Amino acid sequence: MEKNGKISSAVIRRLPKYYRYLGELKRMGVNKTSSRELSEMTGFSASQIRQDLNNFGGFGQQGFGYDVESLRFEIGKILGLDKKYKVIIVGAGNIGEAIANYTGFYEADYEVVSLFDKNPKLIGLSIRNAVIRDIDYIEEYLKAEKVDIAVICTPKSVCQQIAEKIVACGIKAIWNFAPKDLKMPEGVYVENVHLNESLFSLTYYYNKLKGE
């Protein structure tokens, strides 16, 4: 439960990392942890971790630290990971296929229910039991089926048009891998993922290290 009204996006973006490392501790059989230990694992300061968690109630007890399983469960609830989500992927090329096979979907409760593409050679094939359908029928599908999240893996030239089409059918959350930032109306959340931006940042630091 959020204590202080609106939570900054920086805090929200740190929560998945806490969730991931707590999962690792759980798999190792660790029952208790502290903000100091989480700091060593995540790279965030112990005070930052405590501040982040205090936004939602704290969850720990001074002198005793955090119960790993309980804290992970509570962070999962904050992130909405206690629910199931149905996902479609638009674009069944290399990136779309890789995302459809991404094990992270299936470790959490995300179900890829269908893919869409215009390539007749792909239509009718399945990836992990999700059928690739003709993109011309995407609106018909969305009107008939409940879908929570759409993943866009199309070329740059068509991604905005496709996004507008699926939003008109009720989609409110888009994970966008097309090489263009989507512009959506208020009430629709888009996570634009640009792999080359991460690569270019890495390249900068690599060359900086070489220069030193």
Side-chain angles (χ1 to χ4, degrees):
M1 182 68 67
E2 296 179 6
K3 282 175 55 179
N4 304 321
K6 187 175 181 180
I7 306 299
S8 76
S9 60
V11 173
I12 300 303
R13 289 188 179 279
R14 286 191 287 271
L15 292 182
K17 182 168 279 194
Y18 300 152
Y19 185 82
R20 174 162 58 88
Y21 279 111
L22 287 163
E24 291 184 10
L25 290 173
K26 182 180 176 182
R27 285 189 288 275
M28 292 164 56
V30 176
N31 296 318
K32 292 283 185 180
T33 190
S34 66
S35 56
R36 179 183 59 80
E37 290 170 340
L38 287 174
S39 172
E40 292 172 357
M41 295 181 75
T42 64
F44 304 131
S45 70
S47 62
Q48 180 68 75
I49 292 169
R50 290 193 297 271
Q51 288 175 28
D52 287 349
L53 297 179
N54 282 337
N55 282 298
F56 305 95
F59 309 117
Q61 188 174 351
Q62 191 170 359
F64 292 91
Y66 303 102
D67 180 87
V68 168
E69 185 170 1
S70 175
L71 180 57
R72 187 172 186 268
F73 175 77
E74 293 297 334
I75 291 175
K77 280 177 62 178
I78 292 166
L79 292 169
L81 301 181
D82 56 333
K83 304 173 185 176
K84 295 183 178 181
Y85 300 95
K86 292 191 174 183
V87 179
I88 62 166
I89 298 173
V90 187
N94 292 335
I95 293 178
E97 181 181 356
I99 291 172
N101 281 305
Y102 173 51
T103 57
F105 274 134
Y106 308 98
E107 290 170 357
D109 272 332
Y110 297 86
E111 180 189 1
V112 177
V113 292
S114 186
L115 295 91
F116 293 87
D117 205 280
K118 69 175 184 178
N119 186 345
K121 294 181 180 179
L122 297 178
I123 294 168
L125 301 178
S126 295
I127 301 176
R128 285 184 176 253
N129 297 320
V131 176
I132 303 173
R133 293 177 164 85
D134 190 326
I135 197 167
D136 288 343
Y137 296 98
I138 191 168
E139 291 168 293
E140 181 180 315
Y141 182 89
L142 290 174
K143 289 173 183 175
E145 304 290 339
K146 180 185 181 297
V147 173
D148 302 294
I149 298 169
V151 184
I152 294 183
C153 305
T154 66
K156 178 180 179 179
S157 59
V158 296
C159 62
Q160 181 69 37
Q161 177 187 356
I162 288 171
E164 291 172 0
K165 182 181 292 188
I166 63 176
V167 164
C169 294
I171 292 293
K172 300 291 185 185
I174 298 174
W175 200 19
N176 176 40
F177 285 83
K180 177 180 180 179
D181 288 344
L182 297 175
K183 307 299 182 184
M184 292 287 101
E186 189 174 347
V188 177
Y189 187 79
V190 178
E191 187 76 16
N192 292 300
V193 181
H194 296 290
L195 299 178
N196 60 345
E197 290 180 6
S198 178
L199 177 62
F200 295 165
S201 296
L202 172 68
T203 305
Y204 167 81
Y205 287 110
Y206 167 69
N207 283 291
K208 189 176 181 184
L209 287 169
K210 282 178 65 179
E212 293 173 353

